[in-house]
Amino acid sequence: MRLLHTSDWHLGRAFHRVNMLGAQAEFIGHLVTTVRERGVDAVVVSGDVYDRAVPPLAAVELFDDALHRLADLGVPTVMISGNHDSARRLGVGAGLIGRAGIHLRTDASACGTPVVLPDPHGDVAFYGLPYLEPALVKDQFGVDRAGHEAVLAAAMDRVRADLAARPPGTRSVVLAHAFVTGGQVSDSERDITVGGVAAVPAGVFDGVDYVALGHLHGSQTITERVRYSGSPLPYSFSEADHRKSMWLVELGRDGALGAERVDCPVPRALARIRGRLEDLLADPALIRHEDAWVEATLTDPVRPAEPMARLTERFPHTLSLVFDPERASGEPEVSYARRLAGRGEQEIAEDFVAHVRGAGPDAHERSVLRDAFDAVRADETVREVAR
């Protein structure tokens, strides 16, 4: 069976105020063409179809167009909801849509009930694990404490139990939306940390033939059978070095696996440039970036006059301007934003406790903070879905 693995479409998302809907429509066209020309037997979409729980109408219309075009090809599609999606909204009409071969898996309780598709070697069972917010599903899965590893392990126990009851030789594919240990993050993924620890080991997925992951925006191989497709388009300058693609996976007899990257059309290259303004305007080596979307970091000790206007004369598609002035040796870093860069909410809270009283939180206090963040995140998820 030939599978096309994609994820993280984020329909409706902009890139630094640039409307990406046209580029997203071009990607959908490319996806449909790839399915038709490469003899794809099934498409898997591993979450974050939309960029937010209540997407704009234009994004919904594009999604509707994608569903119709895939259904017209007669190629089954399996989709799960991600942490950006409203699982309940995305799953509306799933039963009816499923009759057209578009299988939406947004209900956590159904993770052990697969979509079964046949090929000349037998059946392939597709298990959809939508994004599992630990605080919301821990009771449903019977785990004592909210945590990504615990709820995913419980979901996979249901998958393996169902698979064990199927005829010998049944092959399996799992779709999941999660942060798996070893994955490389970018700035454009919404944080799903719980108490600062969100990563789950790849071993959680042992026992299946292929794991089609979503959430991280860079295409990457965690193990030979556990892969992220990445987002088809860039959504932050941290993705400047990404090669945007999908995985074309060959699932053969007895679970033999082959995978090929299929490049996606990207509307414009991304570039990050750094230096003093006058140097950036004069450097001949930067000519290759003149038609790119540019993030410029200026290191001038004193902020120059009209920097954006001057930059856009040479780099007309400059979208982001950052100031990081050169400092004398030993001069302290004063940027609050830089002090917080790369730090999770739990770390920031613990540092605040240490700053206020002179000593960081003990184990019990860290647990209280973690529970508080879990409760806030769960409440935000519930309120977002209810909007």
Side-chain angles (χ1 to χ4, degrees), residues 8-25 48-52 55-56 58-59 62 84 187-190 217 231 233-239 267 270 293 319-320:
D8 295 273
W9 294 358
H10 289 279
L11 300 181
R13 185 166 186 160
F15 179 74
H16 287 268
R17 301 177 305 282
V18 174
N19 189 320
M20 296 289 279
L21 200 64
Q24 291 169 340
D48 282 353
V49 173
Y50 292 121
D51 189 56
R52 55 182 185 266
L62 180 55
H84 280 249
D187 293 341
S188 53
E189 299 113 4
R190 180 183 293 172
H217 288 185
S231 62
L233 293 165
Y235 293 114
S236 75
F237 277 102
S238 64
E239 301 171 50
L270 272 58
W293 280 324
L319 299 180
S320 176

Side-chain angles (χ1 to χ4, degrees), residues 198-380:
V200 300
V204 165
F205 300 104
D206 284 352
V208 297
D209 294 302
Y210 184 68
V211 181
L213 293 175
H215 179 57
L216 300 185
H217 288 185
S219 177
Q220 47 201 296
T221 300
I222 304 300
T223 71
E224 186 63 23
R225 295 184 181 274
V226 180
R227 299 170 185 260
Y228 283 99
S229 66
S231 62
L233 293 165
Y235 293 114
S236 75
F237 277 102
S238 64
E239 301 171 50
D241 295 329
H242 287 189
R243 174 186 164 194
K244 295 302 183 182
S245 58
M246 304 175 285
W247 285 111
L248 185 62
V249 176
E250 295 269 4
L251 188 59
R253 185 194 302 270
D254 299 325
L257 188 77
E260 172 192 349
R261 288 179 72 177
V262 178
D263 290 331
C264 296
V266 176
R268 195 178 297 277
L270 272 58
R272 294 177 123 171
I273 60 177
R274 179 184 180 89
R276 296 192 177 198
L277 178 59
E278 294 299 336
D279 294 337
L280 297 180
L281 296 177
D283 188 350
L286 299 181
I287 190 171
R288 67 187 188 278
H289 299 317
E290 290 180 351
D291 194 44
W293 280 324
V294 169
E295 178 184 75
T297 299
L298 300 185
T299 61
D300 301 72
V302 177
R303 183 175 301 209
E306 300 183 330
M308 181 62 89
R310 295 168 67 188
L311 275 168
T312 54
E313 289 181 2
R314 182 178 186 189
F315 306 102
H317 305 290
T318 301
L319 299 180
S320 176
L321 184 58
V322 180
F323 293 96
D324 185 18
E326 300 167 353
R327 301 182 185 280
S329 178
E331 185 177 355
E333 173 59 67
V334 297
S335 168
Y336 179 71
R338 287 183 66 84
R339 290 204 304 273
L340 296 185
R343 302 180 68 76
E345 55 194 15
Q346 179 92 7
E347 293 175 293
I348 294 170
E350 291 181 10
D351 285 351
F352 177 75
V353 173
H355 173 74
V356 169
R357 73 179 186 192
D362 59 24
H364 172 69
E365 291 167 332
R366 285 195 297 271
S367 177
V368 170
L369 286 170
R370 185 162 53 246
D371 289 345
F373 284 123
D374 290 350
V376 169
R377 186 166 25 255
D379 181 64
E380 287 177 344

Side-chain angles (χ1 to χ4, degrees), residues 133-137 371-387:
E133 177 59 53
L136 296 180
V137 301
D371 289 345
F373 284 123
D374 290 350
V376 169
R377 186 166 25 255
D379 181 64
E380 287 177 344
T381 301
V382 170
R383 286 190 287 108
E384 192 171 52
V385 169
R387 284 173 57 193

